[in-house]
Every structure is written in C-alpha cells, then in structure tokens.
Amino acid sequence: MAFSSHSALQRKCHCEKDKMNQGSILYHILNRKRHQHLPTCSCKHESKEKVALGSPYVACKAASEVLLKTVNFIKNLPSFRGLLQPDQLLLLENCWAALFVLGLAQEGVDFEVIEPSRTSILKEILTNREGKGSDEKTITEPSAAEVQKVKSFLTNCWSIDISTKEYVYLKGIVLFSPDVSGLHSPQYILCLQQEAERALTEYTHSVHLRDTSRFNQILLALTSLKSINTPVITQLFFRPLIGNVEMNALLMEMLYTS
C-alpha cells in the first residue's frame, strides 16, 4: 500500500539523497573497521525543520494496521510466549518501533511529509480533543532528518527486495535482543537471536546461490535500523491517533488482549 503528498524532504534537501548510498561505510562499521564520518548535509537548517505526515488520516490508518500485524506476529511466536512476562514487556518496549518499521517495509507502505504549518486543521482537532488541560503534553513533530532515516531504510529494503521469510527472520533478530537492560534471561534470548540469524543465513545462501553479497546487504539494512529513534515513530505515526496516551501502555494492552 502506498500513499503520497508533496514531499518537504525532496523539495528542500537534495543532499539527503546522497545519504542513501552509504553501504560501504556501514559495512566498515559492521566489520569493526576504522570509524569514518558520514557526509554532512550543507543545509543543516533545513534538515532540522519539523515535518508532519502529508496525508495523516490515510497514513495513520495504514500505520495502525501495520502495528496490529506487528504485535500479532510477536504474540504468536511460541518462543516469545515462553519467556517470563517481565522479559516480554522489556523486549516489546525496546523493539516495537524497529519491528514496526520492518513491517512498513514488508507491507510496502510509503509516506510523504509536509511542513507542519499545512497541518493546522489536524493540530486544532488534536489540541481540542477532550478539552485542553494544564498537564497536556505538547505534540512535537519530528525533524526532516529523522524522518529521512526512516524513508532511506524503506527504500533500501525495497531495493534489496527482501522476501517474506527473510522479513520473518529479521524480525526475530530484532525482537530477541539480549542487550536490552533488565532482562531476566539474556542468555536464552541470545540463543533465540542466534537461531534467527542462522535461519536467515541458511535461507539466503540456499535461495540466492549466485548472489554472495545479498546476506551482507540485508545485515547492513538491519544495522541502519539502530539510527531510527522510537519517539520519532511515535510522534509521526501514532500521536495524532492516541493523543497523550502512553505508547507502552497501548502496546501492553494489545499484547495481552485476545
């Protein structure tokens, strides 16, 4: 599914396009080679500009469907259900945004952004929802540079043409992250992650015998997910729908409601 509007990113920042072709730099990072600085944007004032969804109602509806599929994927994994509930919650809270972005890529959901000034109607609806309170949180749009990271990741995934099975294994690698602080069973979760990595390796090598670089391309795409911030995903796709409701509370309700 795809939807579009006039893109503030494409209209204002031409040098952002150069950031999409940085596989070699990520490859060095992945292989622990010497650090290299990413090319800087000459229009920093533009990349820091705030942006919002160009078609918020359509975009948020699509995002909600992807989030529902993401949570259903998690709750239907026997290996996840076998974890202690505190570990389940920690993994969900720390990994949901990356899994959601993978879901956007898998479902082919594209989006465009515009300057916030053009979303005054939406802002008025949100700020007047259930009346204004003194403790109401301010809805802050993400920067163009942060949103560009999401769009670049999606473009990268689509250029690789990742298959359904590969997405499943990638989601397993992302979900079972032993580095999440506070886990009761980090070693077991590490084993689950390694199992997903092994399955991805075997599948990729068996299906794409002649494409020796494919596995590295997929890993590079996965590495770029780390630069996407969870608050950016929340503010861009879900704050217009849930208002001041805490995202973690919503996720927990979705996870444990049959």
Side-chain angles (χ1 to χ4, degrees), residues 67 71 89 92-93 96-97 246-256:
L67 183 64
V71 176
L89 293 176
L92 179 65
E93 291 173 2
W96 76 266
E246 291 294 333
M247 195 68 193
N248 287 341
L250 175 62
L251 291 168
M252 186 173 65
E253 182 179 350
M254 294 174 67
L255 184 63
Y256 295 115

Side-chain angles (χ1 to χ4, degrees), residues 51-158:
V51 294
L53 291 171
S55 303
Y57 300 106
V58 179
C60 290
K61 181 178 183 296
S64 299
E65 293 172 355
V66 172
L67 183 64
L68 180 60
K69 290 182 179 180
T70 299
V71 176
N72 284 337
F73 168 81
I74 295 172
K75 67 195 298 184
N76 289 327
L77 285 175
S79 51
F80 181 83
R81 294 201 305 267
L83 297 174
L84 296 173
Q85 186 175 14
D87 282 357
Q88 291 180 355
L89 293 176
L90 283 172
L91 292 178
L92 179 65
E93 291 173 2
N94 284 273
C95 305
W96 76 266
L99 292 172
F100 167 77
V101 176
L102 275 171
L104 290 180
Q106 183 176 5
E107 298 297 324
V109 176
D110 197 3
F111 65 95
E112 297 297 342
V113 291
I114 59 175
E115 297 173 1
S117 59
R118 294 176 59 188
T119 63
S120 56
I121 297 178
L122 176 62
K123 285 176 128 181
E124 184 178 349
I125 293 174
L126 292 175
T127 53
N128 286 291
R129 181 186 294 174
E130 299 179 358
K132 295 181 179 180
S134 58
D135 60 343
E136 183 177 351
K137 297 179 182 178
T138 303
I139 298 175
T140 305
E141 292 86 357
S143 69
E146 291 291 340
V147 175
Q148 183 62 35
K149 294 177 183 178
V150 180
K151 293 181 69 65
S152 295
F153 174 80
L154 296 178
T155 301
N156 194 12
C157 288
W158 296 331

